[in-house]
Coordinates of all heavy atoms in Angstrom, one line a residue:
M1045 N -24.1 -67.7 16.1 CA -24.2 -68.7 15.1 C -23.0 -69.7 15.3 O -21.9 -69.2 15.5 CB -24.2 -68.1 13.7 CG -24.6 -68.9 12.6 SD -24.6 -68.1 11.0 CE -22.9 -68.2 10.5
A1046 N -23.3 -70.9 15.2 CA -22.2 -71.9 15.3 C -21.3 -71.8 14.1 O -21.7 -71.8 12.9 CB -22.8 -73.2 15.4
V1047 N -20.0 -71.8 14.4 CA -19.0 -71.8 13.4 C -18.0 -73.0 13.5 O -17.6 -73.3 14.6 CB -18.2 -70.4 13.4 CG1 -17.0 -70.4 12.5 CG2 -19.1 -69.3 13.2
P1048 N -17.7 -73.6 12.4 CA -16.7 -74.7 12.5 C -15.4 -74.3 13.2 O -14.9 -73.3 12.8 CB -16.5 -75.2 11.1 CG -17.6 -74.6 10.3 CD -18.1 -73.4 11.1
K1049 N -14.9 -75.1 14.1 CA -13.6 -74.7 14.8 C -12.4 -74.9 13.9 O -11.5 -74.2 14.0 CB -13.5 -75.6 16.1 CG -12.7 -75.0 17.2 CD -12.9 -75.8 18.4 CE -12.8 -74.9 19.6 NZ -13.1 -75.7 20.9
Q1050 N -12.5 -75.9 13.1 CA -11.3 -76.3 12.3 C -11.7 -76.6 10.8 O -12.9 -77.0 10.6 CB -10.7 -77.7 12.8 CG -9.2 -77.6 12.9 CD -8.8 -78.0 14.3 OE1 -9.3 -79.0 14.8 NE2 -7.9 -77.3 14.9
K1051 N -10.8 -76.2 9.9 CA -11.2 -76.5 8.5 C -11.2 -78.0 8.3 O -10.3 -78.7 8.8 CB -10.0 -75.9 7.7 CG -10.2 -76.2 6.2 CD -9.1 -75.5 5.3 CE -9.3 -75.8 3.9 NZ -8.3 -75.1 3.1
R1052 N -12.2 -78.4 7.5 CA -12.3 -79.9 7.2 C -11.4 -80.2 6.0 O -11.5 -79.4 5.0 CB -13.8 -80.2 6.9 CG -14.0 -81.7 7.1 CD -15.5 -82.0 7.3 NE -16.3 -81.8 6.1 CZ -17.4 -82.4 5.9 NH1 -17.8 -83.3 6.7 NH2 -18.1 -82.1 4.8
S1053 N -10.6 -81.2 6.2 CA -9.6 -81.5 5.1 C -10.3 -81.9 3.8 O -11.5 -82.4 3.8 CB -8.7 -82.7 5.5 OG -9.4 -83.9 5.5
R1054 N -9.6 -81.8 2.7 CA -10.2 -82.1 1.4 C -10.5 -83.6 1.4 O -11.5 -84.0 0.8 CB -9.1 -81.8 0.4 CG -9.5 -82.1 -1.0 CD -8.4 -81.7 -2.0 NE -8.2 -80.3 -2.0 CZ -7.6 -79.7 -3.0 NH1 -7.2 -80.3 -4.1 NH2 -7.4 -78.4 -3.0
S1055 N -9.7 -84.4 2.1 CA -9.9 -85.9 2.1 C -11.2 -86.2 2.8 O -12.0 -87.0 2.3 CB -8.8 -86.5 2.9 OG -9.1 -87.8 3.1
R1056 N -11.5 -85.5 3.9 CA -12.7 -85.8 4.7 C -13.9 -85.4 3.9 O -15.0 -86.1 3.8 CB -12.7 -85.0 6.0 CG -12.1 -85.8 7.1 CD -12.2 -84.9 8.4 NE -13.4 -85.3 9.2 CZ -13.3 -86.3 10.1 NH1 -12.2 -87.0 10.3 NH2 -14.4 -86.5 10.8
T1057 N -13.8 -84.2 3.2 CA -14.9 -83.7 2.4 C -15.2 -84.7 1.3 O -16.4 -85.0 1.0 CB -14.5 -82.4 1.7 OG1 -14.2 -81.4 2.8 CG2 -15.6 -81.8 0.9
H1058 N -14.2 -85.1 0.6 CA -14.3 -86.0 -0.6 C -14.8 -87.4 -0.1 O -15.7 -88.0 -0.9 CB -13.0 -86.1 -1.4 CG -12.7 -84.8 -2.1 ND1 -11.7 -84.7 -3.0 CD2 -13.4 -83.6 -2.1 CE1 -11.6 -83.5 -3.4 NE2 -12.7 -82.8 -2.9
L1059 N -14.4 -87.9 1.0 CA -14.9 -89.2 1.5 C -16.4 -89.1 1.8 O -17.1 -90.0 1.4 CB -14.2 -89.6 2.8 CG -12.7 -90.2 2.6 CD1 -12.1 -90.4 3.9 CD2 -12.9 -91.6 2.0
K1060 N -16.8 -88.0 2.4 CA -18.2 -87.9 2.8 C -19.0 -87.8 1.5 O -20.1 -88.4 1.4 CB -18.5 -86.7 3.7 CG -19.9 -86.6 4.1 CD -20.0 -85.7 5.4 CE -21.5 -85.7 5.8 NZ -21.7 -84.9 7.0
R1061 N -18.5 -87.0 0.6 CA -19.3 -86.8 -0.7 C -19.4 -88.0 -1.5 O -20.5 -88.3 -2.1 CB -18.6 -85.7 -1.5 CG -19.5 -85.0 -2.5 CD -18.9 -83.7 -3.0 NE -18.8 -82.7 -2.0 CZ -18.1 -81.5 -2.2 NH1 -17.4 -81.4 -3.2 NH2 -18.2 -80.6 -1.2
A1062 N -18.3 -88.8 -1.5 CA -18.3 -90.1 -2.3 C -19.4 -91.0 -1.6 O -20.1 -91.7 -2.4 CB -16.9 -90.7 -2.2
K1063 N -19.4 -91.1 -0.3 CA -20.4 -91.9 0.4 C -21.8 -91.5 0.0 O -22.7 -92.3 -0.2 CB -20.1 -91.8 1.9 CG -21.0 -92.7 2.8 CD -20.2 -93.9 3.3 CE -21.0 -94.7 4.2 NZ -20.3 -96.0 4.4
M1064 N -22.0 -90.2 0.0 CA -23.4 -89.6 -0.3 C -23.8 -90.0 -1.7 O -24.9 -90.5 -1.9 CB -23.3 -88.1 -0.2 CG -24.6 -87.4 -0.2 SD -24.4 -85.6 -0.2 CE -24.0 -85.3 -1.9
Y1065 N -22.9 -89.9 -2.7 CA -23.3 -90.2 -4.0 C -23.5 -91.7 -4.2 O -24.3 -92.1 -5.1 CB -22.2 -89.6 -5.0 CG -22.3 -88.2 -5.2 CD1 -21.2 -87.3 -5.0 CD2 -23.6 -87.6 -5.7 CE1 -21.4 -86.0 -5.2 CE2 -23.7 -86.3 -5.8 CZ -22.5 -85.4 -5.6 OH -22.7 -84.0 -5.8
S1066 N -22.7 -92.5 -3.5 CA -22.9 -94.0 -3.7 C -24.2 -94.5 -3.1 O -24.6 -95.5 -3.5 CB -21.7 -94.7 -3.0 OG -21.8 -94.6 -1.6
S1067 N -24.8 -93.7 -2.1 CA -26.0 -94.1 -1.5 C -27.2 -93.7 -2.3 O -28.4 -94.2 -2.0 CB -26.1 -93.5 -0.1 OG -26.3 -92.1 -0.1
I1068 N -27.1 -92.8 -3.2 CA -28.3 -92.4 -4.1 C -28.7 -93.5 -5.0 O -27.8 -93.9 -5.8 CB -28.0 -91.1 -4.8 CG1 -27.8 -89.9 -3.8 CG2 -29.1 -90.7 -5.8 CD1 -27.3 -88.7 -4.3
K1069 N -29.9 -93.9 -5.0 CA -30.3 -95.0 -5.9 C -31.1 -94.3 -7.1 O -31.9 -93.4 -6.9 CB -31.3 -95.9 -5.2 CG -30.6 -96.7 -4.1 CD -31.5 -97.8 -3.6 CE -30.8 -98.7 -2.6 NZ -30.6 -98.0 -1.3
V1070 N -30.7 -94.8 -8.3 CA -31.4 -94.3 -9.5 C -32.6 -95.2 -9.8 O -32.5 -96.4 -9.8 CB -30.4 -94.3 -10.7 CG1 -31.0 -93.8 -11.9 CG2 -29.2 -93.5 -10.3
A1071 N -33.8 -94.5 -10.0 CA -35.0 -95.2 -10.3 C -34.8 -95.9 -11.7 O -34.3 -95.3 -12.6 CB -36.2 -94.3 -10.3
V1072 N -35.3 -97.1 -11.8 CA -35.2 -97.8 -13.1 C -36.6 -98.4 -13.5 O -37.3 -99.0 -12.6 CB -34.2 -99.0 -13.0 CG1 -34.2 -99.8 -14.3 CG2 -32.8 -98.5 -12.7
S1073 N -37.0 -98.2 -14.7 CA -38.2 -98.8 -15.3 C -37.8 -99.5 -16.5 O -36.6 -99.4 -17.0 CB -39.3 -97.8 -15.5 OG -38.9 -96.9 -16.6
T1074 N -38.7 -100.3 -17.2 CA -38.4 -101.0 -18.4 C -39.0 -100.3 -19.6 O -40.1 -99.7 -19.5 CB -38.8 -102.4 -18.3 OG1 -40.2 -102.5 -18.0 CG2 -38.0 -103.3 -17.3
C1075 N -38.3 -100.3 -20.7 CA -38.8 -99.7 -21.9 C -39.9 -100.5 -22.5 O -39.7 -101.7 -22.7 CB -37.6 -99.6 -22.9 SG -38.1 -98.9 -24.5
P1076 N -41.1 -99.9 -22.8 CA -42.1 -100.6 -23.4 C -41.9 -101.1 -24.8 O -42.5 -102.0 -25.4 CB -43.4 -99.6 -23.4 CG -42.7 -98.3 -23.3 CD -41.4 -98.5 -22.6
N1077 N -40.9 -100.5 -25.5 CA -40.6 -100.8 -26.9 C -39.6 -101.9 -27.0 O -39.9 -102.9 -27.8 CB -40.1 -99.6 -27.6 CG -39.9 -99.8 -29.1 OD1 -40.8 -100.1 -29.8 ND2 -38.7 -99.6 -29.5
C1078 N -38.5 -101.9 -26.2 CA -37.5 -102.9 -26.4 C -37.3 -103.8 -25.1 O -36.7 -104.7 -25.1 CB -36.1 -102.3 -26.8 SG -35.4 -101.2 -25.5
G1079 N -37.9 -103.3 -24.0 CA -37.8 -104.0 -22.7 C -36.5 -103.9 -22.0 O -36.3 -104.5 -20.9
E1080 N -35.7 -103.0 -22.4 CA -34.4 -102.7 -21.7 C -34.6 -101.9 -20.5 O -35.6 -101.0 -20.5 CB -33.5 -102.0 -22.7 CG -32.9 -102.9 -23.7 CD -31.7 -103.8 -23.3 OE1 -30.9 -103.4 -22.5 OE2 -31.8 -105.0 -23.6
P1081 N -33.8 -102.0 -19.5 CA -34.0 -101.1 -18.3 C -33.6 -99.6 -18.7 O -32.7 -99.4 -19.4 CB -33.0 -101.6 -17.3 CG -32.1 -102.4 -18.0 CD -32.8 -102.9 -19.2
K1082 N -34.4 -98.7 -18.2 CA -34.2 -97.3 -18.5 C -34.7 -96.4 -17.3 O -35.5 -97.0 -16.5 CB -34.9 -96.8 -19.8 CG -36.4 -96.8 -19.8 CD -37.0 -96.1 -20.9 CE -38.4 -95.7 -20.8 NZ -38.6 -94.6 -19.8
Q1083 N -34.3 -95.2 -17.3 CA -34.8 -94.3 -16.3 C -36.3 -93.8 -16.7 O -36.5 -93.5 -17.9 CB -33.9 -93.1 -16.2 CG -32.7 -93.4 -15.4 CD -31.9 -92.1 -15.1 OE1 -32.4 -91.1 -14.5 NE2 -30.7 -92.0 -15.5
P1084 N -37.2 -93.8 -15.7 CA -38.5 -93.3 -16.0 C -38.5 -91.9 -16.5 O -37.7 -91.0 -16.0 CB -39.3 -93.5 -14.7 CG -38.3 -93.6 -13.6 CD -37.0 -94.1 -14.3
H1085 N -39.4 -91.5 -17.3 CA -39.6 -90.1 -17.9 C -38.4 -89.7 -18.7 O -38.2 -88.5 -18.8 CB -40.0 -89.1 -16.9 CG -41.2 -89.6 -16.0 ND1 -42.4 -89.7 -16.4 CD2 -41.2 -90.0 -14.7 CE1 -43.2 -90.1 -15.4 NE2 -42.5 -90.3 -14.4
R1086 N -37.7 -90.6 -19.2 CA -36.6 -90.3 -20.1 C -36.5 -91.2 -21.3 O -37.1 -92.3 -21.3 CB -35.2 -90.5 -19.3 CG -34.9 -89.2 -18.5 CD -34.0 -89.5 -17.4 NE -33.7 -88.5 -16.5 CZ -34.6 -88.1 -15.5 NH1 -35.8 -88.6 -15.4 NH2 -34.3 -87.1 -14.7
V1087 N -35.9 -90.6 -22.4 CA -35.8 -91.4 -23.6 C -35.0 -92.7 -23.4 O -34.0 -92.6 -22.7 CB -35.2 -90.5 -24.7 CG1 -35.0 -91.3 -26.0 CG2 -36.0 -89.3 -24.9
C1088 N -35.4 -93.8 -23.9 CA -34.7 -95.0 -23.8 C -33.4 -94.9 -24.7 O -33.5 -94.5 -25.9 CB -35.5 -96.1 -24.3 SG -34.6 -97.7 -24.4
L1089 N -32.3 -95.1 -24.0 CA -31.0 -95.0 -24.7 C -30.7 -96.2 -25.6 O -29.7 -96.1 -26.4 CB -29.9 -94.7 -23.7 CG -30.0 -93.3 -22.9 CD1 -28.9 -93.3 -21.9 CD2 -29.8 -92.2 -23.9
H1090 N -31.4 -97.2 -25.4 CA -31.2 -98.4 -26.2 C -31.8 -98.4 -27.6 O -31.2 -98.6 -28.6 CB -31.7 -99.6 -25.4 CG -31.3 -101.0 -26.1 ND1 -32.2 -101.7 -26.8 CD2 -30.2 -101.6 -26.1 CE1 -31.6 -102.8 -27.3 NE2 -30.4 -102.7 -26.8
C1091 N -33.1 -97.9 -27.6 CA -33.8 -97.9 -28.9 C -34.2 -96.4 -29.3 O -34.6 -96.2 -30.4 CB -35.1 -98.8 -28.8 SG -36.3 -98.3 -27.6
G1092 N -34.1 -95.5 -28.4 CA -34.4 -94.1 -28.7 C -35.8 -93.7 -28.7 O -36.2 -92.7 -29.3
Y1093 N -36.7 -94.6 -28.1 CA -38.1 -94.3 -28.0 C -38.5 -93.5 -26.8 O -38.0 -93.8 -25.7 CB -38.9 -95.6 -28.2 CG -39.4 -96.0 -29.6 CD1 -38.4 -96.2 -30.5 CD2 -40.7 -95.9 -30.0 CE1 -38.7 -96.6 -31.8 CE2 -41.0 -96.2 -31.3 CZ -40.1 -96.6 -32.2 OH -40.4 -96.9 -33.5
Y1094 N -39.5 -92.7 -26.9 CA -40.2 -92.1 -25.7 C -41.6 -91.8 -26.1 O -41.8 -91.1 -27.1 CB -39.4 -90.9 -25.2 CG -40.1 -90.4 -23.9 CD1 -39.9 -91.1 -22.7 CD2 -40.8 -89.3 -23.9 CE1 -40.5 -90.7 -21.5 CE2 -41.4 -88.8 -22.7 CZ -41.2 -89.6 -21.5 OH -41.8 -89.2 -20.4
G1095 N -42.6 -92.1 -25.3 CA -44.0 -91.8 -25.5 C -44.5 -92.5 -26.8 O -45.3 -91.9 -27.4
G1096 N -44.0 -93.6 -27.1 CA -44.5 -94.4 -28.3 C -43.9 -93.9 -29.6 O -44.5 -94.3 -30.6
R1097 N -43.0 -93.1 -29.6 CA -42.4 -92.7 -30.9 C -40.9 -92.5 -30.8 O -40.3 -92.3 -29.8 CB -43.0 -91.4 -31.5 CG -42.9 -90.2 -30.6 CD -43.9 -89.1 -30.9 NE -43.7 -87.9 -30.2 CZ -42.9 -86.9 -30.6 NH1 -42.3 -87.0 -31.7 NH2 -42.7 -85.9 -29.8
Q1098 N -40.2 -92.6 -32.0 CA -38.8 -92.5 -32.1 C -38.3 -91.0 -31.8 O -38.7 -90.1 -32.5 CB -38.3 -93.0 -33.4 CG -36.8 -93.1 -33.6 CD -36.4 -94.5 -33.5 OE1 -36.9 -95.4 -34.1 NE2 -35.3 -94.7 -32.7
I1099 N -37.4 -90.8 -30.8 CA -37.0 -89.5 -30.5 C -35.5 -89.4 -31.0 O -35.0 -88.4 -31.6 CB -37.0 -89.2 -29.0 CG1 -38.4 -89.5 -28.5 CG2 -36.6 -87.8 -28.7 CD1 -39.5 -88.5 -28.8
L1100 N -34.7 -90.4 -30.7 CA -33.3 -90.4 -31.0 C -33.0 -91.5 -32.1 O -33.7 -92.5 -32.2 CB -32.5 -90.8 -29.8 CG -32.5 -89.9 -28.6 CD1 -31.7 -90.5 -27.5 CD2 -31.8 -88.6 -28.9
E1101 N -32.1 -91.1 -33.0 CA -31.7 -92.1 -34.0 C -30.5 -92.9 -33.4 O -29.5 -92.3 -33.2 CB -31.2 -91.3 -35.3 CG -32.4 -90.6 -36.0 CD -33.5 -91.5 -36.5 OE1 -33.2 -92.6 -36.9 OE2 -34.6 -91.0 -36.5
I1102 N -30.7 -94.2 -33.3 CA -29.7 -95.0 -32.7 C -29.1 -95.8 -33.8 O -29.8 -96.6 -34.5 CB -30.3 -95.9 -31.6 CG1 -31.0 -95.2 -30.6 CG2 -29.1 -96.8 -31.0 CD1 -30.2 -94.4 -29.6
G1103 N -27.8 -95.6 -34.1 CA -27.1 -96.3 -35.1 C -26.6 -97.7 -34.6 O -26.0 -97.7 -33.6
E1104 N -27.0 -98.7 -35.2 CA -26.7 -100.1 -34.8 C -25.3 -100.4 -35.2 O -24.9 -100.1 -36.3 CB -27.6 -101.1 -35.4 CG -29.0 -101.0 -34.9 CD -29.3 -101.3 -33.4 OE1 -28.9 -102.4 -33.1 OE2 -29.8 -100.4 -32.7
Ligands
LIG9 ZN1 -36.1 -99.1 -25.6

């Protein structure tokens, strides 16, 4: 089995991980209630609606 010859430095690990996370794109859809951008299949954080009804109480 192949084994790494040298320990990878914390800096290298963190640099690669940061690059990986920065490349991940988050899907965005618009809320049918308020039209704000939100993640699909999740409660709208702007108005608190999901599936045509109020889920979260958003204090203005
Ligand atoms: Zn909304």
